[in-house]
Amino acid sequence: MLYDLNLAWSPATTADRLLQTLSLAHSLGYATVALNHTLEAPYPANPTSPFPPRPEASPSGSKLPHVLHRATLPVSDPAASSYRLHALANVYDIIAVRPLTEQAFQNACLTLDVPIISLDLTTQFPFHFRPKPCMAAVSRGVRFEICYGQLLAADGRGRANFIGNVTNLFRTTRGRGFIISSEAKAAIGLRGPADVVNMLSVWGLTNEKGIEGFRSTPRSVVVNEGIKRNGFRGVVRIVQTATREESGAAAGASTEVSQASQNTSTTKVAQSHKRKKGENDGGQLLSKPRAKKTKLAAAPVADT
């Protein structure tokens, strides 16, 4: 199953363009895609989903991939945006950050509770990608996103920056923890996974890691984010909250079952004690040989 967790979307995107992009994504083999809405600061305190209803099929009847909703937050001051993440996580399926400064990048790698760090690799960053924060992010389960659509839409300088940044990221992370997405604004920006994997292998990413960037790595992000929204501490899945009447009825039924179980247990203990007692032992427990001798002694002797 292939994933593309970054299809660029904005409120200006028409329904026809969206359906065309989703149809091509399905024909290329992508089973799950995410519509990415890039937010601008200041972020809303009570956010609402701007996306249209998830389409199930195109007007022509062709199948479409499963659609998720994602938000990307450009971050320059980590303290000003971290407290908004919880409110946004209740609206969007996936949350990603795009650090713009060195402080924001280190905070995203070391402490920020986000699954994806998305970078505009066509720009020249004012800092270097150091192994320590990058490997700390990989160890925490945070994934770096490579958007090949940035390379296709960039000029000569932007392509040079993309190649240099990607090479440095592959070196600092040893090729681990990458998600490969398109960031396509239209259907023309989509490419097949095999072409992208072959392109990235030229700059140091092995074919095995490249395939994982389309399959297992984005799948783990989708599954983990789903567990966070629908579970309690990642263990119990919350299906439906019981009402007070249902809780009282369940508690009463549990009490009745407990009392019946206790009465049954008491009856079994009494019966077992009764079986162990002799008939004329005065209520004292006797061993089997002693009880047999007592029974023979009490039996009447026949006259000869």
Side-chain angles (χ1 to χ4, degrees), residues 19-296:
L19 289 176
Q20 185 180 9
T21 304
L22 294 177
S23 299
L24 182 58
H26 183 270
S27 64
L28 291 175
Y30 296 101
T32 301
V33 299
L35 301 181
N36 180 27
H37 184 210
T38 301
L39 303 179
E40 295 181 359
Y43 308 122
N46 298 315
T48 57
S49 177
F51 294 99
R54 290 178 172 88
E56 299 294 338
S58 63
S60 61
S62 60
K63 294 183 178 180
L64 298 178
H66 178 62
V67 178
L68 301 175
H69 295 163
R70 164 183 161 176
T72 299
L73 285 66
V75 177
S76 57
D77 184 7
S81 58
S82 59
Y83 69 96
R84 299 290 190 190
L85 292 177
H86 180 70
L88 292 171
N90 296 328
V91 179
Y92 297 91
D93 298 317
I94 302 173
I95 301 295
V97 295
R98 178 159 289 184
L100 305 178
T101 62
E102 183 177 6
Q103 182 182 6
F105 180 77
Q106 290 187 356
N107 184 66
C109 291
L110 300 177
T111 60
L112 205 59
D113 186 17
V114 292
I116 299 176
I117 297 177
S118 179
L119 300 170
D120 185 1
L121 299 175
T122 59
T123 62
Q124 187 173 0
F125 293 100
F127 57 90
H128 298 285
F129 301 123
R130 303 185 183 279
K132 186 174 181 179
C134 292
M135 291 304 297
V138 174
S139 300
R140 291 198 308 122
V142 181
R143 306 308 179 196
F144 294 97
E145 183 180 45
I146 298 177
C147 300
Y148 61 83
Q150 299 172 356
L151 177 66
L152 301 178
D155 55 7
R157 184 59 183 173
R159 293 181 181 180
N161 291 335
F162 185 93
I163 295 173
N165 291 327
V166 163
T167 304
N168 290 334
L169 277 175
F170 291 161
R171 175 180 52 84
T172 55
T173 61
R174 301 176 185 177
R176 292 182 292 178
F178 284 101
I179 290 175
I180 303 175
S181 304
S182 65
E183 200 174 76
K185 298 180 180 179
I188 195 174
L190 291 172
R191 294 294 185 273
D195 297 336
V196 181
V197 170
N198 291 335
M199 179 181 65
L200 295 178
S201 65
V202 177
W203 301 317
L205 187 68
T206 62
N207 291 338
E208 180 182 358
K209 298 296 183 182
I211 294 174
E212 290 179 359
F214 282 104
R215 294 180 181 272
S216 59
T217 307
R219 180 183 181 277
S220 65
V221 171
V222 174
V223 172
N224 291 337
E225 292 303 299
I227 292 175
K228 287 181 182 179
R229 292 191 307 273
N230 301 325
F232 176 71
R233 295 182 179 178
V235 178
V236 180
R237 182 179 180 183
I238 302 174
V239 179
Q240 183 180 0
T241 304
T243 61
R244 181 173 297 180
E245 291 78 4
E246 292 175 349
S247 300
S254 177
T255 304
E256 292 178 359
V257 171
S258 178
Q259 292 178 352
S261 176
Q262 184 177 1
N263 294 336
T264 303
S265 177
T266 304
T267 303
K268 290 182 178 180
V269 171
Q271 290 177 352
S272 63
H273 286 179
K274 185 176 180 180
R275 285 195 300 268
K276 291 181 180 179
K277 293 180 180 181
E279 295 179 354
N280 299 320
D281 54 359
Q284 297 180 355
L285 296 178
L286 300 176
S287 62
K288 289 184 178 181
R290 182 74 177 274
K292 187 176 182 180
K293 291 181 179 180
T294 304
K295 186 177 180 180
L296 292 175

